Amino acid sequence: MYTPESSERSTDLGSIFTALADISRRPRYAFMVLGLIAEAARSDGQAGPWVAGPGGVPQPLREWVASQLVSLAAHDRRRATLRRKVEERLGPRAGDEALVKAALEEEALAAGKANVSRAVSDLVKAGFVRRYYAGRVRGHQNRGGGRHAVYIVTPQVLNAIRSRPTLV
């Protein structure tokens, strides 16, 4: 089992994969999340709370990561099930394809943000990422409150990921 103390030893993509396989129920997804966080990170490894979204519009980091990955589930059977639920909820308005598509994207993004949070929790357990929340309400028992996630990729992991011209 991987422990944060072992992160002091050499870190390469192979050791990252091994650690995620030991810790995460979805190691490939966690690795994709790690790659996106590393892509958004500054040279000090810190990413967020805001990143440039589509058209350069600032977007919360967790939402940006989720939106980058939401297309992976577009053809998944769960998306078809989600579509049926959205159509049932909309009732007679379900005939409006644009409305259904917008509601479906909103639901998929919400599920994606929850998945990203779970993956980041695995990355934190692995010792690859630290997280804290920044915003107008700090130290509040409600983790929401206008705060947004900031993720910090450890230097060894950031170096391992960025040392490759392309990710596997």
Side-chain angles (χ1 to χ4, degrees), residues 30-156:
F31 183 75
M32 286 187 287
V33 169
L34 178 60
L36 287 168
I37 293 169
E39 179 183 321
R42 297 183 289 278
S43 61
D44 64 354
Q46 184 169 315
W50 300 95
V51 294
V57 176
Q59 188 174 19
L61 176 61
R62 189 171 64 118
E63 188 174 307
W64 177 80
V65 172
S67 68
Q68 299 297 306
L69 296 172
V70 78
S71 62
L72 292 176
H75 303 292
D76 191 290
R77 71 176 182 276
R78 288 174 288 184
R79 183 61 73 100
T81 303
L82 182 60
R83 182 181 181 89
R84 283 193 299 277
K85 288 179 182 178
V86 166
E87 287 173 344
E88 287 173 13
R89 193 181 69 230
L90 291 174
R93 298 180 302 162
D96 183 354
E97 185 60 30
L99 182 63
V100 170
K101 187 174 180 177
L104 186 59
E105 289 301 313
E106 184 179 318
E107 296 248 353
L109 184 59
K113 290 190 313 188
N115 289 336
V116 167
S117 290
R118 280 189 216 93
V120 169
S121 291
D122 291 343
L123 296 171
V124 169
K125 284 180 200 171
F128 298 153
V129 172
R130 289 179 293 131
R131 83 175 137 204
Y132 69 91
Y133 297 88
R136 63 180 188 267
V137 179
R138 293 176 185 244
H140 192 272
Q141 63 188 8
N142 174 3
R143 295 182 81 159
R147 299 180 326 152
H148 299 286
V150 177
Y151 305 132
I152 304 165
V153 182
T154 62
Q156 301 91 340

Side-chain angles (χ1 to χ4, degrees), residues 151-164:
Y151 305 132
I152 304 165
V153 182
T154 62
Q156 301 91 340
V157 172
L158 190 64
N159 185 45
I161 290 175
R162 287 188 172 174
S163 67
R164 306 283 189 244

